[in-house]
Amino acid sequence: MTMVRSKTISIGGLIAGTAGLLLISACGSETAPVAQSSSAPPSSSAPDTSAAPSVSPSSSTSAPQPAQGGDPAPKNDGLCKAGDVKLAVVGGDGAAGTVYRQLVITNTSGQACTIQGFPGISYVTGSDGHQVGEAAFRDGTKGEPVKLNPGESASTDVGFVNVRNYDEAVCKPTETRGLRVYLPQETASNFVPVQGLGCAGKIPGNQLTVKTVHKGA
């Protein structure tokens, strides 16, 4: 009887020891992932900038700098521009169905300018200022340059043909509001209010003629 009890106690102790080892092993397997995750860097941490290239103070000045004061002003060629002058139509002498009047060009700027040749002239009408018929025909030869000091004037003779002399079906008479004038070698225009009558159709002649600019009004 004594021997049987001793074996029973030995078996029980063995079972208890085995159970303890299993429990320790199980606990160890559950805590291992926690230890690994705590040692890894958090995914939300800021990016490592230790390898980024450093920026020296001189790098900001090596880039092209914007020009100071904007674009350079266009070169002044000395020619009279649309904004330099004031225009007026004066006089009125008739000959053979044509009325000749003077287009006076006065330098209203603060500096001298030069004008030479034939102004471009055409009838315009409507609120949009659209052209009526053909532009003025250049009559004669190109004159010498005319220098206008501030306040001085030059002029040119403009012929206004009586368009009533043309076949109405061909001329298509149209009331005009005035003249659009381009100074020689100028791309901007001036408007001179002059009531008139032009031909919107193609006529066998010239409804307007213009001569070269000369000094004086």
Side-chain angles (χ1 to χ4, degrees):
M1 295 297 291
T2 302
M3 290 179 61
V4 173
R5 184 176 182 183
S6 298
K7 290 181 180 181
T8 301
I9 292 173
S10 299
I11 293 172
L14 180 60
I15 293 174
T18 302
L21 290 174
L22 290 175
L23 180 59
I24 292 171
S25 176
C27 292
S29 62
E30 288 178 358
T31 58
V34 176
Q36 291 175 359
S37 63
S38 63
S39 62
S43 59
S44 59
S45 62
D48 183 11
T49 59
S50 59
S54 60
V55 180
S56 63
S58 61
S59 64
S60 61
T61 59
S62 63
Q65 299 298 312
Q68 299 298 321
D71 296 332
K75 183 179 180 180
N76 184 2
D77 55 13
L79 298 176
C80 296
K81 308 297 184 183
D84 296 333
V85 301
K86 179 180 179 181
L87 306 182
V89 174
V90 299
D93 297 326
T98 301
V99 175
Y100 290 93
R101 308 181 70 181
Q102 282 190 321
L103 174 66
V104 180
I105 306 166
T106 303
N107 181 2
T108 57
S109 72
Q111 59 187 5
C113 65
T114 301
I115 185 170
Q116 180 184 17
F118 302 88
I121 301 177
S122 59
Y123 282 124
V124 292
T125 194
S127 58
D128 59 347
H130 64 271
Q131 183 171 323
V132 177
E134 297 292 328
F137 173 78
R138 295 178 176 182
D139 183 11
T141 58
K142 183 178 180 180
E144 296 297 320
V146 176
K147 182 179 179 180
L148 297 179
N149 292 314
E152 291 185 335
S153 299
S155 64
T156 179
D157 298 319
V158 181
F160 298 80
V161 174
N162 184 356
V163 300
R164 294 292 189 188
N165 294 333
Y166 294 104
D167 180 6
E168 187 172 327
V170 176
C171 173
K172 300 177 182 177
T174 303
E175 294 286 341
T176 59
R177 293 179 51 232
L179 303 174
R180 179 184 293 122
V181 179
Y182 288 92
L183 298 182
Q185 304 179 58
E186 169 66 313
T187 57
S189 64
N190 296 82
F191 173 75
V192 185
V194 180
Q195 296 294 325
L197 190 68
C199 288
K202 180 67 175 178
I203 58 175
N206 303 299
Q207 63 178 349
L208 292 169
T209 59
V210 60
K211 293 186 177 183
T212 192
V213 173
H214 57 83
K215 189 68 177 286

